[in-house]
Amino acid sequence: MNSTAARIPHAAPFILVTVLIDAIGFGIIIPTLPRLIMEVGHIDLPRATQIGGWLALLYAVVQFVAGPTVGNLSDRFGRRPVLLGALAGYAIDYALLTIANSLPLFFLGRALAGLFGATYGPCQAALADITPPAQRARVFGLVGASFGIGFVVGPAIGGLLGEFGHRIPFAAAALLAGLNFLYGLFVFPETLKSELRRPFNWRRANPLGAIAVVRSIPGLPWVVVTYFVWQIASLVYPSVWSYYTIANFGWSSGRIGASLAAVGIAMAFCQFFLTGRMVARFGERRTAQIGLVGATCGFAGYMLIDSGTIALMFIVIIAIQSLVQPSLSAMLSQRVPADAQGEVQGIGGSVMALGAVFAPLLYNPALAYFTGDSAPFRWPGAPFAIAVVFALITMVTLAKTPRRRAA
């Protein structure tokens, strides 16, 4: 990547592997989670959909609160201790969920996952430490590709293991997180130079302080607003896909896992082979706009279709949305100095989490209502209609974002 990266050759591979394993751990439990909630809580699918939404909400709230703190801690103490501590906690959390036998334990587990999973900022910041600004969209695209590959492997493994028991995927996730911690313990170097570290300040390391930081940087507020609205739109898939496909198509855990694997393959292809080339040719803003068009078409499709075969065909269209995230991440990174990369990427992670707060409040109740007995008509695609609205709002806010030279 540059001379810095050459001096610390294990940094970028470890970050990409960390994102990969995090995605595997996240995706591996998705195919079996609805039925495990139904089993543990002794409830039906609409009620499980609501519980799943509350679990996602709790996870997101904790990440929203912890994101700026973790990002600022990495600016003070370095990326290595923060990331390794989070990975150790993540392994312990998945082990807890493996043996959880009540819904309160599931809520505790998701709260811990939100705390230890607030590593988006340090991961992105570590890559920014060793990557020139002009290359960051491409590198952040590799992060997205790693997540996409994780979504190939994770749900596929989860769907397969889930056929033998709903808890087995959680045990596998705990094992992967533990191995990732050991890998980082031996190979991950510190990427933040000591002279670039700054004192930790609680007034900056909280969501309200983060708002003040965002407002103080010219051009950054519109990027953050765009980032936030896009998160709400894109999170329709992790919020309701498992429940939506059961309600609309009657898919099994294995079929759900296979569909998520197909999404991961398509998105990883776009991230690896298209993001860098398109950003180089069109720039971050135009590349994000192209991704938003693909996302909107995908949302509109799932809003209307009732065929599982057609749902699989639409995966090709929705893969284009994978261009949006790395482009917006690069726009964030390029607007702050080197000693604040952890902070701004922590803010990015917090904004992602804030979007994840709103997503289950919107999508899960809509799906539960329109698949329940009290609905005036049955419409499993209702959550995707909401996603279309937020995708269109994202297009507007991105258009209003000032260019970096103007900022």
Side-chain angles (χ1 to χ4, degrees):
M1 297 175 187
N2 60 7
S3 58
T4 304
R7 291 195 300 270
I8 43 179
H10 294 291
F14 170 74
I15 293 298
L16 297 178
V17 169
T18 296
V19 173
L20 171 67
I21 292 181
D22 281 354
I24 292 174
F26 180 78
I28 203 172
I29 67 174
I30 290 178
T32 61
L33 187 59
R35 288 183 171 87
L36 185 57
I37 293 174
M38 294 166 65
E39 175 186 302
V40 172
H42 306 289
I43 53 179
D44 59 10
L45 180 61
R47 180 59 178 158
T49 302
Q50 293 177 325
I51 295 296
W54 287 112
L55 288 170
L57 175 64
L58 177 62
Y59 175 87
V61 167
V62 175
Q63 280 215 327
F64 170 65
V65 174
T69 302
V70 174
N72 274 270
L73 285 172
S74 76
D75 281 340
R76 169 63 182 90
F77 298 104
R79 320 303 184 199
R80 176 181 163 86
V82 172
L83 280 175
L84 291 181
L87 290 174
Y90 224 30
I92 295 171
D93 176 60
Y94 277 125
L96 170 65
L97 290 174
T98 300
I99 60 174
N101 57 4
S102 67
L103 290 179
L105 282 178
F106 269 90
F107 278 95
L108 173 62
R110 294 317 289 164
L112 292 175
L115 174 62
F116 296 123
T119 56
Y120 175 87
C123 283
Q124 297 273 74
L127 288 175
D129 291 339
I130 61 174
T131 308
Q135 297 182 24
R136 286 176 188 166
R138 178 182 65 83
V139 173
F140 293 154
L142 294 179
V143 172
S146 297
F147 190 86
I149 293 174
F151 244 66
V152 175
V153 179
I157 295 176
L160 177 63
L161 294 179
E163 298 292 334
F164 299 96
H166 299 324
R167 296 182 182 274
I168 295 178
F170 290 84
L175 177 62
L176 286 173
L179 292 175
N180 192 24
F181 166 76
L182 293 176
Y183 171 49
L185 185 65
F186 289 106
V187 307
F188 181 51
E190 182 54 63
T191 62
L192 182 63
K193 297 177 181 179
S194 57
E195 63 268 23
L196 292 178
R197 300 183 189 185
R198 57 184 177 80
F200 182 83
N201 187 337
W202 275 112
R203 289 196 296 178
R204 297 168 67 108
N206 64 82
L208 294 179
I211 293 174
V213 172
V214 169
R215 293 181 61 186
S216 69
I217 301 175
L220 193 61
W222 275 108
V223 182
V224 171
V225 169
T226 302
Y227 209 79
F228 167 64
V229 181
W230 166 243
Q231 291 307 313
I232 297 178
S234 65
L235 286 170
V236 65
Y237 294 109
S239 294
V240 300
W241 181 256
S242 296
Y243 308 94
Y244 164 80
T245 52
I246 293 173
N248 206 16
F249 313 128
W251 284 359
S252 66
S253 297
R255 189 75 179 271
I256 295 170
S259 69
L260 290 170
V263 171
I265 291 173
M267 288 192 171
F269 178 86
C270 287
Q271 297 278 15
F272 268 123
F273 299 108
L274 294 183
T275 301
R277 291 180 174 87
M278 293 189 68
V279 168
R281 181 171 180 178
F282 301 113
E284 291 88 355
R285 181 191 302 265
R286 184 60 58 85
T287 301
Q289 290 170 333
I290 294 171
L292 285 169
V293 171
T296 306
C297 292
F299 297 151
Y302 290 122
M303 176 180 71
L304 300 172
I305 63 177
D306 58 4
S307 166
T309 301
I310 297 176
L312 293 175
M313 294 171 60
F314 261 84
I315 289 174
V316 177
I317 298 175
I318 66 171
I320 301 174
Q321 79 174 54
S322 61
L323 300 172
V324 180
Q325 188 79 19
S327 300
L328 295 180
S329 294
M331 292 174 69
L332 274 175
S333 178
Q334 291 169 359
R335 282 166 166 77
V336 296
D339 66 349
Q341 287 297 322
E343 179 175 55
V344 76
Q345 295 299 341
I347 291 172
S350 189
V351 169
M352 290 176 64
L354 184 60
V357 169
F358 284 89
L361 292 177
L362 294 169
Y363 299 131
N364 292 72
L367 180 60
Y369 176 73
F370 279 102
T371 56
D373 296 333
S374 61
F377 55 91
R378 195 171 188 278
W379 187 24
F384 292 95
I386 299 172
V388 167
V389 173
F390 279 95
L392 294 175
I393 295 174
T394 305
M395 292 183 186
V396 174
T397 59
L398 180 60
K400 289 183 171 292
T401 300
R403 297 189 181 276
R404 190 153 54 101
R405 283 182 294 182

